[in-house]
Amino acid sequence: MEISRDGAPARLRALPTRLVNQVALVANRATERALEATGSRRYHYALLAALGEFGAISQADLGRRTNIDRSDIVATVNELADRGFVERSPDPDDRRRKIVTITAAGTDHLAELDERLAGAQDELLAGLSSTDRAEFLRLLTRILDLRAGTPKEVFPQAGGGVRGTNH
């Protein structure tokens, strides 16, 4: 998909869903370029960031905190453990569960990823003032917060009315 608004029909240029998708494509490319030389991917960063912020937690909790599927969590933890960035140990309260802990090397790698991803954010948001950047982040966060745990039925449909009601 070509990322361009030039020549696109006005209906497409006016669709927030299409615009957000196109911005996501640009953001994903910037992120991939930023992480490319590190041997890490977005899932690696998400897990290290969660461990850096929350400390040692179970693989299951790590999946819940990052919204990453359980099977992907196992594979990603294995990759990070193979590189010495995390350690797994049995949970003393439930030996079936694994507790994941970030290592010193993982903390150093997380700092490198933070730095590289800060550059990706600058690349994505180039041309926006710091006020515009803050407002953009606030609006994106608000959209996600409004939908978190909220049934789809309460959001208005195009053409009026609300799903799940008789209005």
Side-chain angles (χ1 to χ4, degrees), residues 71-144:
S71 63
D72 292 325
I73 286 290
V74 171
T76 304
V77 167
N78 287 343
E79 292 166 0
L80 290 170
D82 289 346
R83 295 175 69 189
F85 296 147
V86 300
E87 293 177 342
R88 284 174 296 211
S89 58
D91 183 334
D93 297 327
D94 182 350
R95 309 273 309 152
R96 295 169 296 173
R97 290 182 1 151
K98 298 288 186 199
I99 299 295
V100 182
T101 308
I102 193 168
T103 64
T107 300
D108 291 344
H109 189 62
L110 176 58
E112 177 189 1
L113 298 179
D114 281 336
E115 192 173 303
R116 288 176 170 274
L117 288 172
Q121 307 318 297
D122 288 341
E123 177 184 332
L124 174 66
L125 303 173
L128 296 180
S129 69
S130 59
T131 302
D132 287 344
R133 289 176 182 213
E135 180 66 2
F136 181 65
L137 183 59
R138 186 190 70 75
L139 289 170
L140 290 174
T141 302
R142 183 165 181 220
I143 290 167
L144 292 174

Side-chain angles (χ1 to χ4, degrees), residues 26-38:
V26 173
N28 287 337
R29 290 176 186 162
T31 299
E32 288 169 9
R33 279 192 302 276
L35 297 178
E36 188 174 39
T38 69

Side-chain angles (χ1 to χ4, degrees), residues 33-46:
R33 279 192 302 276
L35 297 178
E36 188 174 39
T38 69
S40 288
R41 296 182 314 280
R42 283 177 281 205
Y43 278 1
H44 296 133
Y45 178 74

